[in-house]
């Protein structure tokens, strides 16, 4: 009976460790999509809303996940990191592939035309929050009290911020900008 209870608690903790960061990142994406469609939310245009609301939610995700993951064994943290990172990689890669209508100077005839490159960018996108949460969990294990929360969130946010720029760099490397217009002499 005791072993069953411990195993079911472990399964619940593992599910929470995966679902919580995915829910937070989904919320950030939903807020971005809404602001992108509406253009303005209150007095904020979509760029201001993105930097003031969407990005802080995304950057808080590794810290929140790090606090949850710090209760897991190292193996379970690695499992959570791979599941969260893999899920984000696949979803962001497919969304990117669906959003591209031109590669180089040629129109895309199917969303699968650029899927390999989109998934490569997706891997970098997924690595940011996963690595951030994994490192943040390690920080949480080494600190206590209020310092634990602050250090965990700061670590996750910094790695998430670096992850954002790594994703932008990956996009630029895999989808270099080309000038397709003819230039008159």
């Amino acid at each position: 009976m005791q072993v069953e209870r411990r195993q079911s608690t472990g399964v619940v903790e593992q599910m929470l460790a995966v679902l919580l960061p995915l829910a937070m990142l989904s919320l950030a994406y939903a807020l971005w999509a809404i602001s992108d469609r509406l253009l303005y939310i209150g007095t904020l245009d979509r760029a201001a809303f993105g930097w003031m609301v969407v990005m802080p939610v995304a950057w808080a995700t590794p810290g929140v996940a790090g606090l949850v993951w710090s209760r897991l064994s190292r193996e379970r943290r690695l499992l959570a990191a791979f599941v969260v990172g893999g899920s984000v990689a696949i979803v962001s890669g497919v969304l990117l592939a669906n959003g591209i209508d031109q590669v180089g100077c040629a129109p895309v005839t199917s969303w699968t035309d650029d899927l390999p490159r989109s998934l490569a960018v997706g891997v970098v996108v997924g690595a940011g929050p996963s690595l951030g949460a994994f490192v943040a969990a390690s920080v949480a294990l080494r600190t206590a009290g209020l310092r634990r929360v602050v250090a965990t969130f700061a670590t996750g946010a910094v790695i998430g911020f670096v992850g954002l720029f790594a994703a932008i760099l990956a996009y630029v490397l895999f989808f270099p900008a080309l000038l397709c217009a003819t230039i008159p002499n």
Side-chain angles (χ1 to χ4, degrees), residues 48-169:
F49 184 81
W51 285 107
M52 293 174 67
V53 178
V54 175
M55 294 313 296
V57 170
W59 289 330
T61 300
V64 171
L67 288 173
V68 173
W69 292 8
S70 67
R71 299 181 58 186
L72 303 174
S73 67
R74 182 173 172 79
E75 294 79 21
R76 289 190 178 263
R77 283 196 306 271
L78 280 171
L79 177 62
F82 279 111
V83 171
V84 169
S87 300
V88 171
I90 291 168
V91 170
S92 62
V94 169
L95 287 172
L96 178 60
N98 276 304
I100 294 176
D101 61 353
Q102 183 173 324
V103 174
C105 295
V108 173
T109 56
S110 169
W111 69 275
T112 59
D113 289 351
D114 58 342
L115 187 59
R117 290 189 285 180
S118 296
L119 288 174
V121 173
V123 167
V124 178
V125 171
S130 293
L131 182 61
F134 191 80
V135 173
S138 297
V139 169
L141 288 170
R142 291 177 176 80
T143 54
L146 183 59
R147 283 186 50 214
R148 177 179 192 239
V149 175
V150 172
T152 302
F153 271 86
T155 301
V158 167
I159 294 175
F161 189 75
V162 170
L164 168 70
F165 288 100
I168 292 169
L169 179 62

Side-chain angles (χ1 to χ4, degrees), residues 28-41 45-47 49-50 54:
Y29 179 76
L31 289 170
W32 167 81
I34 290 167
S35 71
D36 193 51
R37 303 303 182 277
L38 295 178
L39 300 181
Y40 285 92
I41 295 181
D45 66 7
R46 64 184 178 177
F49 184 81
V54 175

